[in-house]
Amino acid sequence: MVRAIDNIGVDVELTSNRQAALDADGLVVPGVGAYAACMKGLRAAGGDDIVYERIAHSQPVLGVCVGEQVMFNEGNERSEYCEGLGLIAGSVNLLDAQVVPHMGWNTVQAPDSSSIFNNIASERFYFVHSYAAHAHADGSPIGVATHEDAFTQPVQACITTASYGNDTFIAAVEKGSLTVTQFHPEKSGEAGAQLLKNWVSTFNEKR
C-alpha cells in the first residue's frame, strides 16, 4: 500500500506515531487475517481512537480489506462474534458461495454519486476474501451504525456492491470522510491507482 500511494506521487509514511496518524491529510487502515484478531490489534495500538477522532474532525480515512470490514458494526468469522468500530451499519459474514475465498478480479456496481469510482466504475478490481459485509436487496445497509454519533453531522452512505457465487456484498462505502473498499486498490493495477488518486482528490472536500 505504501508503494502504491508513493507511485501516484503522494508523500506517504508508514507510522506507529499517534500524532502523525492524527495530523496526516489522509489515513489508510489496511488489514489482513481474521476480523477479531485485526480488531484486537487495532484496539491494542489505540487505532480505534485515532479513527474516531479523525472522523469527528472530518479527516479522510480509507479502510481496505479487513480494514474495511472492521468499520462495520460487527463481524462473525469462524463463529467468533466481534464488535467492530460501528461507523457503518452492517454485519460481516461468510460469503454465500460454493468456493471461498473469493480471489481474483471482479467488477463492481457503483452508484453515479460515487467519487472514488469516477471514470473507473466499469473497471475490474482485485479481491481476496472469504467474509464480507452485506446489505439489503435495495442496497440499504443493515440496521444502524452503533457509533453514528462519531460523525459531526448526519451523512448518507454511498454503497457500491459486487457479486460472487450466490452473494451480493458491499464492495465499497463512501460516508462523509470515511471511505472503505473490500478489494485491494494497491493490487488492482491502473484502476486501483486511479481509485487512490480519486480518494486523494477528495481531501479538500472532506474538510
Side-chain angles (χ1 to χ4, degrees), residues 64-87:
V64 174
C65 196
V66 184
E68 176 245 21
Q69 295 178 0
V70 297
M71 302 297 175
F72 288 84
N73 285 344
E74 60 187 13
N76 294 282
E77 187 165 346
R78 300 186 180 93
S79 300
E80 183 178 3
Y81 172 84
C82 180
E83 290 186 359
L85 295 180
L87 292 168

Side-chain angles (χ1 to χ4, degrees), residues 53-198:
E53 188 166 341
R54 287 186 63 89
I55 295 302
H57 291 88
S58 299
Q59 295 174 288
V61 175
L62 172 65
V64 174
C65 196
V66 184
E68 176 245 21
Q69 295 178 0
V70 297
M71 302 297 175
F72 288 84
N73 285 344
E74 60 187 13
N76 294 282
E77 187 165 346
R78 300 186 180 93
S79 300
E80 183 178 3
Y81 172 84
C82 180
E83 290 186 359
L85 295 180
L87 292 168
I88 307 172
S91 179
V92 176
N93 302 286
L94 183 66
L95 287 167
D96 181 7
Q98 290 186 334
V99 178
V100 291
H102 169 213
M103 182 166 59
W105 298 86
N106 200 353
T107 55
V108 300
Q109 291 74 54
D112 292 340
S113 57
S114 170
S115 296
I116 60 170
F117 290 101
N118 185 33
N119 294 322
I120 54 171
S122 63
E123 299 292 336
R124 292 178 177 269
F125 300 90
Y126 193 80
F127 291 82
V128 183
H129 62 118
S130 297
Y131 293 78
H134 293 86
H136 293 301
D138 64 359
S140 61
I142 302 165
V144 177
T146 52
H147 281 79
E148 191 72 41
D149 57 354
F151 295 90
T152 54
Q153 57 186 3
V155 286
Q156 183 69 33
C158 173
I159 299 173
T160 294
T161 61
S163 297
Y164 176 71
N166 301 316
D167 213 329
T168 296
F169 61 90
I170 297 175
V173 177
E174 298 156 73
K175 184 178 181 181
S177 61
L178 177 62
T179 303
V180 298
T181 67
Q182 175 61 68
F183 57 84
H184 290 266
E186 78 280 10
K187 297 180 180 179
S188 296
E190 292 183 7
Q194 185 59 54
L195 185 140
L196 291 173
K197 290 178 183 178
N198 289 346

Side-chain angles (χ1 to χ4, degrees), residues 13-24 27 45-47 50 54:
E13 178 185 3
L14 179 64
T15 182
S16 59
N17 182 279
R18 174 184 174 84
Q19 197 59 48
L22 287 172
D23 292 343
L27 176 69
I50 291 172
R54 287 186 63 89

